[in-house]
Amino acid sequence: DTGVSQNPRHKITKRGQNVTFRCDPISEHNRLYWYRQTLGQGPEFLTYFQNEAQLEKSRLLSDRFSAERPKGSFSTLEIQRTEQGDSAMYLCASSSLTGMNTEAFFGQGTRLTVV
Amino acid sequence: DQQVKQNSPSLSVQEGRISILNCDYTNSMFDYFLWYKKYPAEGPTFLISISSIKDKNEDGRFTVFLNKSAKHLSLHIVPSQPGDSAVYFCAASVNPYEKLTFGTGTRLTIIP
């Protein structure tokens, strides 16, 4: 297992376009999280899943954002009608509810630039 | 409302010396604390964690201290090495399985 994988690594899009990011968590990790990080800030929580159920969404997650985790494996984060303020690094993390190690492991992120 | 604060944006330390990174939090519901390290263009990498039932946790060169009454934690790196140069984030949650609230990070530079 190579850890949490995110694709694409970079995305440049025009304002108003839709974008979709994918996250493949560490296999058998029940929980999957999405965070967003802007310059000079720490990662900010967006949403998380336990298996296929979306358990919590942040107020940061406007109606233009939607996340899914079909079958409790990989997850997608879609942003519709992108705005320049959506430019950020989007980070995915996964963790296990069982076993000794419960810390979240992060992927390398998808850097979104909206022009 | 910044619930986790890292008041030092940057810190420079001589190689071989001790690096001390500080973090304060305001939410008394937080019971689980972690430190992550981040290199440019990479995701955060987990370093060390501590739960509120302990006041110290060690892992090799890294030690985290927790003062619950002061709502303060610190990360000590001894001895500091050039590869430790990175941005360090403090994070907190109400339990090990919940979402993390991060500080704004401290950029640590180790001077050879």
Side-chain angles (χ1 to χ4, degrees):
Chain A
D1 193 344
T2 57
V4 179
S5 176
Q6 291 189 247
N7 288 287
R9 293 289 308 279
H10 304 275
K11 178 72 177 177
I12 301 174
T13 190
K14 290 185 178 178
R15 190 173 50 185
Q17 298 292 304
N18 299 344
V19 293
T20 300
F21 310 140
R22 177 178 169 125
C23 171
D24 288 90
I26 293 172
S27 57
E28 298 172 358
H29 272 190
N30 321 83
R31 289 217 167 171
L32 185 149
Y33 311 80
W34 285 99
Y35 291 83
R36 180 172 70 186
Q37 185 178 16
T38 53
L39 199 62
Q41 301 296 316
E44 294 175 294
F45 169 76
L46 292 178
T47 187
Y48 83 92
F49 295 82
Q50 181 166 314
N51 301 316
E52 65 274 11
Q54 189 172 18
L55 296 187
E56 186 176 347
K57 290 193 288 188
S58 162
R59 291 171 298 174
L60 292 175
L61 214 65
S62 76
D63 292 345
R64 298 184 296 104
F65 288 69
S66 62
E68 294 183 340
R69 193 184 182 195
K71 303 177 185 177
S73 55
F74 71 92
S75 175
T76 58
L77 177 68
E78 181 183 17
I79 309 174
Q80 295 183 325
R81 304 181 304 281
T82 52
E83 300 172 357
Q84 286 190 317
D86 298 331
S87 296
M89 173 76 85
Y90 290 83
L91 294 162
C92 176
S94 68
S95 68
S96 174
L97 287 173
T98 58
M100 294 291 290
N101 300 320
T102 57
E103 64 272 11
F105 291 85
F106 282 81
Q108 292 185 300
T110 294
R111 180 167 295 285
L112 172 66
T113 302
V114 182
V115 297
Chain B
D1 175 29
Q2 194 74 25
Q3 297 186 66
V4 178
K5 300 176 187 179
Q6 293 177 257
N7 292 318
S8 299
S10 62
L11 176 68
S12 294
V13 174
Q14 206 77 31
E15 181 179 359
R17 298 287 191 99
I18 182 171
S19 296
I20 300 176
L21 295 95
N22 293 303
C23 177
D24 297 290
Y25 62 96
T26 57
N27 188 341
S28 57
M29 298 296 291
F30 288 147
D31 261 350
Y32 183 61
F33 305 88
L34 308 90
W35 284 93
Y36 281 85
K37 173 180 176 180
K38 188 177 184 302
Y39 292 118
E42 293 186 11
T45 302
F46 170 75
L47 271 178
I48 192 168
S49 63
I50 189 168
S51 73
S52 61
I53 61 173
K54 294 176 131 183
D55 55 15
K56 177 182 173 182
N57 189 25
E58 282 182 87
D59 185 1
R61 296 185 300 114
F62 303 93
T63 302
V64 56
F65 295 91
L66 175 62
N67 182 333
K68 249 205 132 178
S69 60
K71 294 191 177 68
H72 177 83
L73 64 155
S74 60
L75 174 69
H76 292 209
I77 307 173
V78 182
S80 300
Q81 300 173 354
D84 297 329
S85 295
V87 178
Y88 288 77
F89 290 99
C90 168
S93 67
V94 297
N95 68 52
Y97 312 113
E98 293 296 321
K99 65 186 180 189
L100 297 173
T101 300
F102 284 84
T104 51
T106 296
R107 180 177 300 279
L108 176 65
T109 302
I110 305 302
I111 304 163

